[in-house]
Amino acid sequence: MVSWFRRKKPDAQTPSPEAAQPPVPNAAAAELPPDAALPAPSPLPEPGIVDVAVAEPAHAEPAAAGKPGWRERLRGSAFARSFSGLFSRNPKLDDELLDEIETALLTADVGVTASTALVESLRKRMKAREFADASALLQALRADLVALLVPVAKPLQIDASKKPFVLLTIGVNGVGKTTTIGKLARRYKDEGRSLMLAAGDTFRAAAVAQLQLWGERNGVAVVAQGQNADAASVAFDALQAAKSRGVDVLIADTAGRLHTQGGLMDELAKVARVLRKLDAEAPHEVLMVIDGTTGQNAINQVRKFNEKIPVTGLVVTKLDGTAKGGVVFALAREFGIPIRYAGIGERPEDLRVFDAEAFVDALLPAELGRA
């Protein structure tokens, strides 16, 4: 059964997406045979789309535009704290300073491989007397970090010739996939794209209701079959519906699963296979959501997921909290997978297109060298 959920005017007690409870079955929902054409949506009543941010509890205002917004949200990260005062404590250019830098990089989850490569490069240049002082070395480190991220800072381009452009979101439990989908829906809606969501997380209680609420607030149709339904079947129905209505973008949710759960990981490959029955190139983007607080375990997650279904893009969430941030560099060096977006706050606007220079500037301000 395919159920359509359209936006509606909420009452004053509308819960946040995270607090939504499973909906009461809608007896009026249309049941259509698989080969039946889907009807065009009826006109939606005013007022317009409800602002999702009304119910967001943290960060009442979105982060400022550009680099200031990144600095505001990431200045409390473990990466920034690890380097705070480091150069003022070690003003001399010597091996002790380099050892401190390596320790700070490792503490911030940059990883052994990347940290060693960065420090050894600085050591060679220091011995070649390229740096006049510690501040000059800091600028060189900043440049090296940016250079590590620039190749993966590739925004997601929606191919208009793929209609619909199918975006499949994957990841382990609790990384924020469904919330990320809601924010992406707002972004693409604001870009003037027609959109549809597939509630493929049929395992977690209230996940379907959560996505339905995001759909209502963004004025986006949601295809769902209820809890414990087959995720591949939901994706198939959604792609059929999106094709029949000429939708620009279809975003499919999936249930969170541990990368060590072989059976559940195999289900992801099944979803992709079923989608290809309707579109040989689908999914056009496999977007893996990574929790920025995870640390080095994110490396294993990406490796295992990538073995089952090729990951074409990453979203790193929760960078505004206790995240160390360094895992972004480790991911870039290990896989070279494009980092599409970064979550630096709760508001939809705080899901930012990943910016390598702004990210490094927030974690390692140039002013540290003058502390």
Side-chain angles (χ1 to χ4, degrees):
M1 179 179 71
V2 179
S3 299
W4 297 96
F5 298 89
R6 300 186 179 90
R7 61 179 177 181
K8 60 184 179 180
K9 183 177 180 181
D11 58 34
Q13 302 299 320
T14 299
S16 64
E18 291 75 6
Q21 297 298 318
V24 177
N26 183 358
E31 296 188 358
L32 300 175
D35 58 347
L38 293 170
S42 58
L44 295 171
E46 295 298 329
I49 300 171
V50 176
D51 187 352
V52 176
V54 169
E56 299 287 351
H59 301 315
E61 297 296 332
K67 289 184 178 180
W70 289 81
R71 291 193 202 106
E72 172 194 336
R73 293 296 167 82
L74 303 186
R75 62 188 175 190
S77 70
F79 193 107
R81 294 197 305 272
S82 295
F83 280 90
S84 179
L86 187 153
F87 289 89
S88 60
R89 293 195 308 269
N90 299 273
K92 294 193 303 181
L93 286 173
D94 55 20
D95 287 335
E96 184 177 347
L97 173 59
L98 293 176
D99 290 343
E100 289 273 4
I101 291 174
E102 185 170 18
T103 299
L105 291 172
L106 291 171
T107 302
D109 280 334
V110 174
V112 174
T113 304
S115 298
T116 301
L118 287 165
V119 171
E120 287 308 308
S121 173
L122 293 174
R123 194 184 306 277
K124 290 179 181 179
R125 296 168 66 184
M126 185 180 75
K127 290 182 178 180
R129 300 183 181 278
E130 290 187 25
F131 309 129
D133 52 26
S135 180
L137 187 146
L138 169 62
Q139 302 313 312
L141 176 58
R142 281 165 48 90
D144 288 348
L145 290 171
V146 170
L148 187 58
L149 295 181
V150 164
V152 299
K154 299 177 181 178
L156 176 60
Q157 302 294 329
I158 303 297
D159 188 345
S161 67
K162 315 294 184 185
K163 203 161 185 177
F165 183 90
V166 182
L167 195 161
L168 182 67
T169 60
I170 63 175
V172 302
N173 312 66
V175 296
K177 290 187 305 301
T178 305
T179 300
T180 296
I181 289 174
K183 293 177 179 180
L184 287 174
R186 168 62 67 86
R187 172 181 289 273
Y188 297 149
K189 191 77 173 179
D190 289 346
E191 291 175 357
R193 304 181 191 277
S194 58
L195 201 68
M196 186 175 289
L197 307 180
D201 184 354
T202 59
F203 181 76
R204 178 170 61 90
V208 173
Q210 181 183 351
L211 196 65
Q212 289 166 2
L213 188 54
W214 278 111
E216 290 173 0
R217 292 183 164 188
N218 287 301
V220 174
V222 177
V223 176
Q225 293 183 2
Q227 191 172 352
N228 297 322
D230 180 60
S233 175
V234 175
F236 185 87
D237 287 349
L239 183 51
Q240 272 191 325
K243 279 181 170 291
S244 68
R245 304 185 82 184
V247 168
D248 295 329
V249 181
L250 169 65
I251 307 179
D253 195 7
T254 59
R257 62 205 71 213
L258 294 177
H259 53 287
T260 55
Q261 296 173 315
L264 291 178
M265 293 295 289
D266 289 337
E267 287 184 1
L268 284 179
K270 176 185 175 182
V271 171
R273 289 197 305 271
V274 169
L275 287 171
R276 293 189 191 106
K277 291 181 179 180
L278 292 175
D279 184 336
E281 297 181 356
H284 305 104
E285 176 81 0
V286 178
L287 201 59
M288 183 168 179
V289 182
I290 298 291
D291 184 336
T293 66
T294 302
Q296 285 294 299
N297 192 40
I299 301 296
N300 291 329
Q301 292 175 14
V302 174
R303 182 178 292 114
K304 293 298 184 182
F305 274 84
N306 206 32
E307 289 173 357
K308 291 297 181 181
I309 179 170
V311 177
T312 56
L314 299 175
V315 179
V316 185
T317 62
K318 307 179 186 179
L319 288 172
D320 57 316
T322 59
K324 296 181 179 180
V327 70
V328 174
F329 300 99
L331 290 168
R333 182 177 177 85
E334 183 75 19
F335 302 105
I337 298 173
I339 301 175
R340 307 298 195 185
Y341 301 99
I344 63 171
E346 298 294 331
R347 295 282 297 257
E349 301 91 334
D350 291 331
L351 183 67
R352 299 287 184 90
V353 172
F354 184 70
D355 183 329
E357 290 189 10
F359 183 72
V360 171
D361 182 69
L363 295 178
L364 195 61
E367 292 75 14
L368 283 179
R370 298 186 289 273

